[in-house]
Amino acid sequence: MPIWVELLIRVAAVLGAFLVLPLLVGQAEHKVMAHMQGRLGPMYAGAFHGWAQLVADGLKFVQKEDVTPREADRSVFRLAPVVALLPYLLVLLVIPLGPNDLVGQPLDVGLFFVLAVVGVGVLAVLMSAWASANKYSLLGGVRGAAQLLGYELPLVLAAASVAMAAGTLSLSGIVEAWRPWWLLWQAPAMIIFFVAGLAEIRRPPFDMPIADSELVFGYLTEYTGLRFAFFLLAEYVGIVVIAALTTVLFLGGWHGPFADDQLGWLWTLLKVFAVSFVIIWLRVSYPRLREDQLQRLCWLVLVPASLAQLVLTVAVRVAL
């Protein structure tokens, strides 16, 4: 097969996953929250179990008027939703779905690339906040920047722990080096990475930048129609990305209970959806943190714990 054909197939597959998986997570969130909170609305659209709720939401966003504030920086205002989405698409390119190079683009420094690209998300928050010409948006943007820049440190340190354990920065290499007993000694790193990842995608209880009780809707206040829908899509893609990275780095990726790896892609997807369910469950179960609680958790709990995990990883590597 010509290399350009193979590349085209890989990119098309990643683009398909980029468009489909977040929609499945969004549909699951509607149903999970409806059951957990006793909501009747999401169960009516389309009659059978509300199967058309996501379609109804899409039609609603399409029909809404696209409004740009008069005092806004129009070019930056319109570009921000694209900047929010693009990093996650690039990350999906290098996340392995299964063995034998079942990945959009294998990279020897895949983990480094992922951590660098995910950090670009703060730009979308700042762009939308500044360009909106709204004081509530600006306050939400400042909160978002402080949160994202702070939680990147434990996120990187936790990822560095598992990379050090595997002896490689390749995501496929980390999965190949993974062993079931890592679930014990890398468990603190997994919890730190997962919590920091939730803060990076601004999911409850870490949604202070869009606290509706204080900031109307933060940096998203002035967005309507499809641009607002793009920000929501970025949130759901972020859930998929964080769940996929947690799966690949800490849960063994395509490794299942059987020696046969032919169904490795299925095990990866099952783990991704299981972690996504936990993310949705946390949204329903826990109230929003205060800003001081959010920063205290980062700097007084997660950062020291991630540094201690690095020391443990070094000790185990030396001992082995």
Side-chain angles (χ1 to χ4, degrees):
M1 180 184 299
I3 189 171
W4 67 269
V5 175
E6 181 181 354
L7 180 61
L8 189 61
I9 293 174
R10 289 175 181 266
V11 171
V14 171
L15 186 59
F18 176 76
L19 296 175
V20 173
L21 292 180
L23 297 181
L24 294 178
V25 171
Q27 181 77 347
E29 182 170 63
H30 278 99
K31 305 311 167 189
V32 170
M33 292 181 65
H35 282 293
M36 287 185 172
Q37 296 180 333
R39 297 184 179 186
L40 297 179
M43 295 301 178
Y44 276 94
F48 178 70
H49 207 68
W51 67 268
Q53 180 62 48
L54 204 63
V55 178
D57 287 341
L59 293 175
K60 175 184 68 176
F61 285 124
V62 170
Q63 293 175 3
K64 282 191 173 182
E65 184 180 2
D66 183 13
V67 178
T68 301
R70 182 174 55 190
E71 301 298 327
D73 186 329
R74 292 178 178 270
S75 58
V76 178
F77 183 85
R78 294 170 178 172
L79 186 60
V82 179
V83 177
L85 273 171
L86 187 58
Y88 295 128
L89 174 59
L90 296 177
V91 169
L92 288 177
L93 281 171
V94 300
I95 294 180
L97 185 61
N100 304 318
D101 281 342
L102 190 58
V103 57
Q105 181 59 49
L107 290 179
D108 291 337
V109 290
L111 181 58
F112 180 82
F113 175 81
V114 164
L115 296 176
V117 171
V118 167
V120 177
V122 67
L123 292 179
V125 175
L126 291 175
M127 288 170 65
S128 59
W130 177 260
S132 294
N134 181 304
K135 62 182 179 181
Y136 296 108
S137 297
L138 184 59
L139 287 172
V142 172
R143 282 185 178 184
Q147 176 174 321
L148 298 179
L149 292 175
Y151 276 85
E152 274 188 11
L153 182 57
L155 185 80
V156 171
L157 291 175
S161 173
V162 71
M164 188 181 300
T168 178
L169 289 174
S170 167
L171 294 178
S172 298
I174 291 174
V175 177
E176 291 171 355
W178 183 87
R179 297 293 180 270
W181 65 278
W182 284 23
L183 291 172
L184 297 177
W185 75 300
Q186 291 297 322
M190 179 178 66
I191 296 172
I192 294 167
F193 184 89
F194 180 73
V195 172
L198 286 182
E200 284 290 307
I201 59 176
R202 302 169 295 284
R203 286 283 298 184
F206 302 99
D207 58 339
M208 285 303 297
I210 56 173
D212 52 343
S213 59
E214 306 165 35
L215 303 179
V216 185
F217 213 53
Y219 63 93
L220 299 179
T221 298
E222 301 293 349
Y223 282 91
T224 59
L226 284 178
R227 291 195 178 92
F228 181 74
F230 286 158
F231 273 111
L232 288 185
L233 180 61
E235 179 180 332
Y236 289 130
V237 181
I239 293 175
V240 173
V241 166
I242 293 301
L245 289 175
T246 304
T247 296
V248 168
L249 295 177
F250 300 100
L251 299 179
W254 60 75
H255 292 300
F258 310 109
D260 186 13
D261 285 336
Q262 294 298 321
L263 295 178
W265 60 272
L266 180 59
W267 291 117
T268 300
L269 290 177
L270 288 175
K271 293 175 185 178
V272 168
F273 281 113
V275 177
S276 299
F277 172 80
V278 174
I279 294 175
I280 297 170
W281 176 38
L282 290 175
R283 173 179 180 174
V284 179
S285 304
Y286 288 90
R288 179 185 299 126
L289 296 178
R290 295 197 315 265
E291 186 67 23
D292 61 314
Q293 293 173 329
L294 184 142
Q295 295 296 339
R296 189 179 299 116
L297 174 64
C298 174
W299 296 105
L300 298 184
V301 178
L302 296 186
V303 171
S306 58
L307 291 173
Q309 177 65 33
L310 275 179
V311 173
L312 173 64
T313 301
V314 172
V316 173
R317 287 285 293 176
V318 171
L320 294 179

